[in-house]
Amino acid sequence: MNKPKNQKGISKYIKLEDYKVFDYEIPEIFMDFVINKNAVNVTTKLKLVKKNKNTKNLILDGTDILIKKLFIDDSLIEKQYYKQQKNNLKIENIKKDIFLLKIEGIIKPKENTSLLGMYESNGIITTQCEAEGFRRISFHADRPDILSKYTVRIEADKNDYPVLLSNGNVLKENNLTNNRHEIIWEDPYPKPSYLFALVAGKLNCVKDNFITKSNKKVKINIYVEYGDEKYVQHAISSLKKSMKWDEDKYNLEYDLSLFNIVAIRHFNMGAMENKSLNIFNSKLILANSETTTDEELERIEGVIAHEYFHNWTGNRVTCRDWFQLSLKEGLTVFRDQQFTADVHNSEIKRLDDAKFLRRNQFREDSGPTSHPVMPEKYQEIDNFYTTTIYEKGSEIIRMLNKLVKDENFYKGFSNYISTYDGKAATIDQFVDKILEHNKEIDPKKFKIWYKQNGTPKVKFKRIWDQTDEKLTIEASQSNPIKKNLYNDLPLIIPINLAIFCDENKTIEKTVVLKTKKQEFVFRNIRSHLQIPLVTYFREFSSPVEWESDTTFEEKFLILRYEKDFFTLSNTVKVFYKKIILCRLDEKPDHKIENKFISTLISFIKNRDINLSLLSELLSIPTFAEIESEMENLDPLKIYKTIDELNHLFGTKLKEELYFKLQEIETSLDKVWPEGKNERKLIETIWKLLLHSDDEEIKSKIINYVDSNSMTLAKAALNSFSRINCPERKIISNIFFNKWKNNSVVLDSWFSFNASIEIDEKTNSIEKLFENTYFDSKSPNTLRAILNTFVTRNSTFHAIDGSGYKYIAKKIIDFDKLNPIVISRFIKVFSRYNYYSEPYKSNMLETIKQIKKNKLSTNTKEVLDAIIE
């Protein structure tokens, strides 16, 4: 594949159209790691089989590796026959078709601060090879379509590195002289280099096991730093649930007798699915109800499932090239979402997933960093680990499942796995397998979903013929982004709809929009309404935005008639947006506000309503939610309006909220997952009551900060975020003093304090970076402060631009330390064009100032996209 060129070169992009098969196969690799105090000697033996008989050269990727010697079949390669450049190694005049290349090299993990490749942090050596980290460990054709069987020997001092882990099964362990020891690992399944993993250090192991459906015993080991052993039972339980679920749902059984997980604090990703050696950010392993919220417990369960499910969708079948990234990630997100829906409440899970996608992916799709699920080009693949690749990719598969029905979907999935097991596949091949026996859906037309960027828009209009009892729905589709040629082509869009003839008669249908304009005709519709009421995209059946001719009076009827959680939540959101827009225009619509408040009261009084759903319905949109959907934004005015509405609704709903509070308080002590709905709702109630200037509730909430439930403790913390009162400082101190020695939990304290507006300047935020407990190498802590400050603190949008300038300094400083975190964070500026003045100009000036500095390639690529 072509590599990015420098400024004098022809192209700085890697392009999908340039893909070609590598000249060699590498069926077997042996790696020998000798870990010394300041360096690691790495000897790699690659068995190479020439596929392109016309080539005599071999080019391998490699960065920051000192070459000692090179051999071909034990013959030393003289220096004039190879050339080492900054990022590759070229060996010339190779005449053999099959040969063994031996590379003796040295790397220095202690000097590697990138958290990519092999690095040492807190005395633990760890690897992160996805996407292109392996080239920092050894020279290799570091691309996902090269699958090899690995044998790995690791040698180290027993005191410094008592635990030595890699992929697969243990072949041999030995004690050596000079207090050293060795271990040899063999992975029997071919894998790409990005799935290689090695961990060495002082770790404690918590053991368990799982019996597969074929009665095979799988040893489960979770390795953590000393003192963290008591926090792993939730992770073990989650892993076992996912192993059992994958057997039951997809007939996929774990294929080895050992499954290892390692929890590391200094780890950029949430987790990594390395074959049989999953490496996790500690935050997504160490958990119990005292240290972890209900929401986080569910997320951890889902992430552990996600990484386990990769064993088949990503590891056994991998992606041919990085343009196919969603083949493994979108598909595995779809599977982990299914898992959580099956284990918990499917309607709430669907609502949560839809909300996340619309808030994050729609925002991404409406800005300059918008890209297709299968991009056509990139500079740094690390920049494409996005909500588009993951969550939108999952939604496309969900639509595919909906279109072909479950039985055909699972049959096609099984054929896909059996056909491409042990191979590198493409998105096209997956879709073809699912649609193999389906004659109604044209695969070529469906695949356009992967090539378009931007969020499609669908418009609906009803035509009602009461005499003939015929309802016609006119539908049309378009894409607001015009740069991509594929965006002009119509998509295949499944639409779940309901036709309400009256309160007691509902017709539910799924129709499929296949052309730019289409009519759907429904006959024998008898309705007492002036025109039958229709709701669209129930269960969020397609990742689109839509407009309809539904009036606001009809929307109130939807809140009476509809049962679908997503549609109820979405309709409520429409009311909130309408109310906020009127207030931003300084023309409050008190009639709609009062009628809407009366509707919310009826929801609160409904004892049968799902309490998580009620929490959603009562939650006034946050700044981040509003910012992703509006234009000509005045951020300070929006923050002020949100505060006003929280005060208004808290005051108007106070009596009903107190009744509900009494009703649910008896369930707050239940053990997760029991009681989670009540605990979710109580934060919403506390927040509204605090905004209503209710003094009585303050002392009551403070009592929960020291709770044995982290959900309640953080609910107490978060509900005070925008309440300027002495109690806010009290709860902050209580939380800090209790958790200051638990770095995972303390990130919540950093986040809370980053949201507080103590004054109009950034002094209070800077104090967080200066805090003794701030760990500059921890991606979690960095994200906790930066992300919260820009999304929940109006000081970021100071009218003089000082908040933007302050964050610019942090971006420049931390880009040197962690470019992956910063390149993702910097997208906060991607919607600058949607802001009013002076915010727009202030943001643009800040972006230009950042660009003047020496930045990582990751961050530079994102900035270039933002202001191209």
Side-chain angles (χ1 to χ4, degrees), residues 626-829:
I626 295 169
E627 191 259 8
S628 67
E629 294 186 358
M630 288 174 57
E631 298 182 18
N632 200 31
L633 291 151
D634 183 332
L636 299 185
K637 203 169 181 181
I638 291 172
Y639 272 106
K640 183 172 178 289
T641 302
I642 292 171
D643 287 341
E644 286 173 356
L645 285 181
N646 274 297
H647 173 75
L648 173 67
F649 281 57
T651 304
K652 294 277 189 178
L653 299 172
K654 183 180 288 190
E655 185 179 342
E656 287 75 19
L657 291 174
Y658 263 111
F659 275 122
K660 204 69 182 178
L661 201 57
Q662 288 180 320
E663 185 184 307
I664 66 176
E665 278 180 332
T666 55
S667 299
L668 297 179
D669 293 332
K670 290 181 179 178
V671 178
W672 182 90
E674 298 298 317
K676 65 177 182 178
N677 294 337
E678 288 85 353
R679 289 188 289 269
K680 181 175 180 179
L681 178 58
I682 205 166
E683 179 174 346
T684 306
I685 293 176
W686 284 347
K687 182 179 176 182
L688 286 167
L689 291 176
L690 279 173
H691 276 85
S692 74
D693 301 326
D694 188 294
E695 291 297 323
E696 180 187 338
I697 198 70
K698 288 182 180 177
S699 57
K700 191 168 188 173
I701 296 173
I702 288 175
N703 293 330
Y704 284 96
V705 181
D706 196 22
S707 168
N708 289 331
S709 163
M710 182 54 65
T711 306
L712 295 174
K714 279 183 69 174
L717 210 60
N718 292 336
S719 57
F720 271 96
S721 176
R722 296 192 63 78
I723 308 298
N724 190 1
C725 61
E727 289 84 358
R728 183 167 67 180
K729 184 67 175 174
I730 293 169
I731 64 167
S732 177
N733 289 339
I734 292 171
F735 193 92
F736 177 81
N737 289 326
K738 182 175 182 178
W739 296 110
K740 62 186 177 183
N741 294 316
N742 185 316
S743 56
V744 173
V745 178
L746 195 62
D747 287 337
S748 296
W749 179 85
F750 279 108
S751 177
F752 170 67
N753 278 275
S755 74
I756 293 175
E757 298 166 7
I758 293 177
D759 52 39
E760 293 181 358
K761 297 182 180 178
T762 53
N763 299 340
S764 60
I765 307 302
E766 185 59 26
K767 285 178 182 176
L768 296 177
F769 288 106
E770 295 169 355
N771 189 289
T772 307
Y773 293 89
F774 173 71
D775 180 355
S776 62
K777 291 183 179 180
S778 166
N780 299 340
T781 313
L782 188 57
R783 283 189 285 252
I785 299 175
L786 292 179
N787 290 351
T788 305
F789 177 63
V790 301
T791 58
R792 290 170 53 193
N793 192 322
S794 67
T795 308
F796 173 60
H797 296 287
I799 203 159
D800 62 356
S802 57
Y804 304 151
K805 291 173 184 173
Y806 174 77
I807 285 299
K809 291 177 184 175
K810 295 301 175 189
I811 286 170
I812 294 161
D813 290 345
F814 284 106
D815 184 59
K816 298 180 181 72
L817 191 64
N818 199 322
I820 288 180
V821 167
I822 294 303
S823 63
R824 294 175 186 182
F825 168 72
I826 206 167
K827 290 180 182 179
V828 67
F829 289 114

Side-chain angles (χ1 to χ4, degrees), residues 260-376:
N260 289 329
I261 288 177
V262 178
I264 301 291
R265 178 157 169 77
H266 293 164
F267 194 68
N268 264 337
M269 311 300 165
M272 180 59 209
E273 71 267 18
N274 316 298
K275 180 75 180 183
S276 72
L277 179 54
N278 286 186
I279 300 177
F280 276 72
N281 188 306
S282 298
K283 186 177 179 64
L284 291 169
I285 287 291
L286 308 179
N288 61 26
S289 292
E290 187 180 1
T291 62
T292 316
T293 66
D294 295 338
E295 187 178 318
E296 289 165 340
L297 286 170
E298 187 171 304
R299 180 171 180 246
I300 288 168
E301 185 181 67
V303 173
I304 287 171
H306 179 96
E307 305 309 328
Y308 173 74
F309 297 154
H310 265 313
N311 186 59
W312 285 96
T313 51
N315 297 5
R316 286 285 289 261
V317 181
T318 194
C319 46
R320 187 196 70 177
D321 53 71
W322 291 120
F323 298 98
Q324 319 295 328
L325 180 57
S326 193
L327 174 69
K328 75 181 186 77
E329 295 302 350
L331 177 54
T332 307
V333 168
F334 171 73
R335 282 167 23 85
D336 81 53
Q337 289 176 348
Q338 281 186 307
F339 166 76
T340 302
D342 287 350
V343 172
H344 298 285
N345 183 301
S346 59
E347 291 178 292
I348 289 297
K349 176 58 178 169
R350 189 67 197 126
L351 175 55
D352 288 344
D353 291 339
K355 185 179 176 183
F356 179 87
L357 183 96
R358 297 170 95 198
R359 183 178 67 241
N360 297 286
Q361 197 278 324
F362 280 16
R363 183 185 195 277
E364 183 171 81
D365 244 349
S366 66
T369 57
S370 172
H371 60 273
V373 175
M374 187 165 67
E376 293 185 329

